[in-house]
Amino acid sequence: MDKFVIEGPTPLQGTIPISGSKNAALPLMAAALLGNSPTTIHNVPKLRDIYTFNNVLRVTGARVDFDEESGTLTIDPANISFLEAPYELVRKMRASFYMLGALLGKYGEAKVSLPGGCAWGPRPVDLHIEGMKTMGANIELEQGYVIANTEKVLDGGIYELDPSSVGATINLLLASVLRASEFTIKNAAKEPDVVLLCKALSNMGAEIDGIGTDTLTVRRVDTLTGIEIDNAPDRIETGTFMIAGAMHPKSELTLTGADPSELGAFPETLRKTGAEVEINGSTIRVKAPDTLKPVSIKTRTYPGFPTDLQAQWSTMMTQAEGDSKVTDTIYYDRFSYVPELVRLGADMNVEKNTVHISGKTPLKSASVMSTDLRASVSLVLAAMVAEGSTDVLRIYHLDRGYEDLEEKLSRVGGNIKRLDQDA
Ligand code: EPU
């Protein structure tokens, strides 16, 4: 198992290229199964979750070629014969549950493991399943697996998501485009990852109305054709580095290859801390203020403040002069990073789904433990402004979602090394 050893504090100065998005690529990969010819996706990041999903696809008989050099992924569904996603793979990554919609939609049958819990709570999939039942699919649960089948053509109907869910919207789209005469998803997710999937499916030949709104209506088509498509830049990686650029008073970062239009209200929120944020096409420049101002936030669905940047924001707030609150309204329990930041000297405490932060506290090195992907990168951000040498343990979480993190940070002045934590 690897750890990072980070020597701080270091200001970050220079240019960081933004990678392709993990959460946008995964639904595109699932959609590739629906085509009757191969699909090629460009700008796919080299991340553990992508490799896991490649294997989930390969288990079915799909041919998957990943040219890592160019980030080009080609998926040929021609020889799919095994309509299952086994527990061993689904438990590694919840998004494997997209196989339910993709296999059911294309082949009318699927056996997909339930994902189980996660580091910050139960994260149910009831809406995915209820939505498919509403569509007309037969679904049973057996020994931890969802076993589903459908007629060739389903009536469809209307299903309202409560709460809105990115994953359920994606799964219901995948299940319905080749099956449901007419199916409407209300309170659908409007996150950019969902919009990109809708556009990809439309390019493949699907009929979807209301793209980008919270009401999506699908009308069945007989076949879909494989396409060539560019994956989006990673908006959460972008937001993470924007925060990194604001945390140390001498930092100034330029991010290239980003898509600022997918950041919602985030740049404006960051400006409230006193940071300079300049957007020019696909380039974003962030310059830290001499003194960070405290800014309280609440996570919301898109275009609100993303839950996937909540931990990084709290970490930055430990360096702001004054009190702030960070409330997560999407996941009520996503605060496992807090005790780790307290070990570094942060003054923060959790009350229900809010973390109260008092700043500015000088952070001092310690050993800290990653508990999930976003918690993990937050500990890296903290370590880079902490005095001394901090060990961030269990960084396999981080490898799921941040491509070349240590190279990217080293190039802009971070002092970060990857070592074997058990050596
Ligand atoms: N929910 C239900 N029932 C369901 C599905 C969701 O109650 O059947 C609830 C969840 O418990 C949560 C809310 O709905 O309270 C929203 O969850 P959502 O389904 O939107 O989350 P997700 O699709 O499982 C994706 C991202 C997450 C990101 C969330 C929210 C992927 C692979 N994952 O998860 O990303 O936090 O949307 O934006 O796209 C990450 O990248 O670190 C990450 C966790």
Side-chain angles (χ1 to χ4, degrees):
M1 216 182 287
D2 289 351
K3 67 175 177 182
F4 280 147
V5 179
I6 299 170
E7 197 79 45
T10 48
L12 302 178
Q13 291 169 349
T15 300
I16 297 181
I18 297 301
S19 294
S21 162
K22 162 179 88 74
N23 289 351
L26 295 168
L28 297 178
M29 292 163 70
L33 298 192
L34 299 178
N36 59 6
S37 53
T39 283
T40 299
I41 310 168
H42 299 287
N43 198 27
V44 177
K46 300 183 292 294
L47 293 173
R48 206 156 64 87
D49 276 7
I50 298 291
Y51 296 111
T52 301
F53 206 57
N54 282 347
N55 289 335
V56 172
L57 296 175
R58 287 185 182 118
V59 162
T60 65
R63 188 180 162 144
V64 181
D65 294 308
F66 189 19
D67 180 352
E68 299 182 7
E69 198 65 28
S70 65
T72 303
L73 184 66
T74 303
I75 298 164
D76 183 353
N79 293 319
I80 290 181
S81 58
F82 185 68
L83 305 177
E84 291 190 20
Y87 177 63
E88 294 70 51
L89 290 171
V90 179
R91 77 183 164 83
K92 286 190 186 161
M93 189 187 66
R94 303 177 55 79
S96 312
F97 201 63
Y98 294 156
M99 292 301 278
L100 182 62
L103 293 176
L104 192 68
K106 177 82 174 288
Y107 303 98
E109 266 179 64
K111 181 176 172 186
V112 175
S113 169
L114 282 165
C118 124
W120 70 85
R123 295 186 76 193
V125 286
D126 54 321
L127 302 174
H128 304 228
I129 291 173
E130 287 309 312
M132 287 186 205
K133 282 187 180 165
T134 302
M135 204 184 295
N138 304 311
I139 298 199
E140 277 170 31
L141 301 184
E142 223 174 80
Q143 296 187 310
Y145 278 78
V146 179
I147 303 188
N149 61 72
T150 73
E151 304 296 324
K152 184 161 172 23
V153 180
L154 300 173
D155 286 347
I158 300 173
Y159 187 69
E160 178 157 356
L161 294 169
D162 181 17
S164 182
S165 155
V166 174
T169 304
I170 289 168
N171 236 338
L172 293 175
L173 285 166
L174 294 168
S176 59
V177 283
L178 286 170
R179 289 277 154 192
S181 297
E182 183 166 314
F183 184 63
T184 298
I185 309 169
K186 290 198 164 172
N187 201 23
K190 293 181 292 190
E191 267 66 7
D193 310 342
V194 173
V195 174
L196 184 63
L197 172 68
C198 287
K199 288 183 180 158
L201 289 169
S202 300
N203 290 346
M204 294 172 83
E207 281 190 26
I208 306 171
D209 281 349
I211 295 176
T213 74
D214 61 6
T215 304
L216 295 170
T217 297
V218 169
R219 281 181 205 87
R220 179 185 173 277
V221 293
D222 273 330
T223 53
L224 296 175
T225 313
I227 52 166
E228 189 160 347
I229 187 164
D230 287 331
N231 181 33
D234 195 314
R235 66 196 174 96
I236 304 302
E237 188 200 22
T238 306
T240 302
F241 286 132
M242 287 171 76
I243 289 173
M247 271 183 70
H248 185 291
K250 293 206 161 48
S251 287
E252 180 171 350
L253 287 178
T254 300
L255 312 179
T256 55
D259 184 350
S261 73
E262 291 196 344
L263 297 177
F266 182 76
E268 212 31 65
T269 312
L270 186 57
R271 283 190 186 109
K272 290 185 190 157
T273 65
E276 270 177 45
V277 179
E278 212 178 81
I279 295 175
N280 192 352
S282 60
T283 300
I284 302 172
R285 189 183 64 84
V286 176
K287 186 172 184 305
D290 290 335
T291 306
L292 268 174
K293 291 186 210 141
V295 177
S296 298
I297 57 107
K298 276 189 184 163
T299 67
R300 300 273 183 217
T301 55
Y302 187 82
F305 194 101
T307 172
D308 291 343
L309 288 173
Q310 178 260 105
Q312 299 89 314
W313 192 269
S314 299
T315 305
M316 175 172 64
M317 283 300 109
T318 67
Q319 301 306 296
E321 289 291 348
D323 296 344
S324 57
K325 286 192 282 189
V326 169
T327 302
D328 200 328
T329 70
I330 310 289
Y331 296 114
Y332 283 66
D333 200 15
R334 200 177 188 180
F335 297 107
S336 56
Y337 60 91
V338 169
E340 302 301 310
L341 289 180
V342 168
R343 286 175 56 74
L344 292 172
D347 182 355
M348 57 206 307
N349 67 288
V350 180
E351 196 187 348
K352 293 191 179 146
N353 61 330
T354 297
V355 52
H356 299 263
I357 306 145
S358 293
K360 172 183 185 173
T361 43
L363 301 183
K364 282 225 171 69
S365 60
S367 284
V368 286
M369 183 91 79
S370 309
T371 48
D372 66 72
L373 170 57
R374 309 302 169 188
S376 189
V377 82
S378 301
L379 298 178
V380 171
L381 295 180
M384 285 191 307
V385 295
E387 192 76 47
S389 177
T390 295
D391 283 10
V392 181
L393 308 179
R394 296 204 178 168
I395 53 166
Y396 60 85
H397 291 291
L398 205 141
D399 293 333
R400 297 182 57 175
Y402 286 91
E403 190 180 49
D404 301 333
L405 185 79
E406 63 265 43
E407 281 85 357
K408 289 186 183 187
L409 288 175
S410 299
R411 263 185 261 131
V412 295
N415 189 340
I416 171 169
K417 284 190 191 66
R418 180 185 289 261
L419 297 177
D420 181 352
Q421 104 176 25
D422 306 309

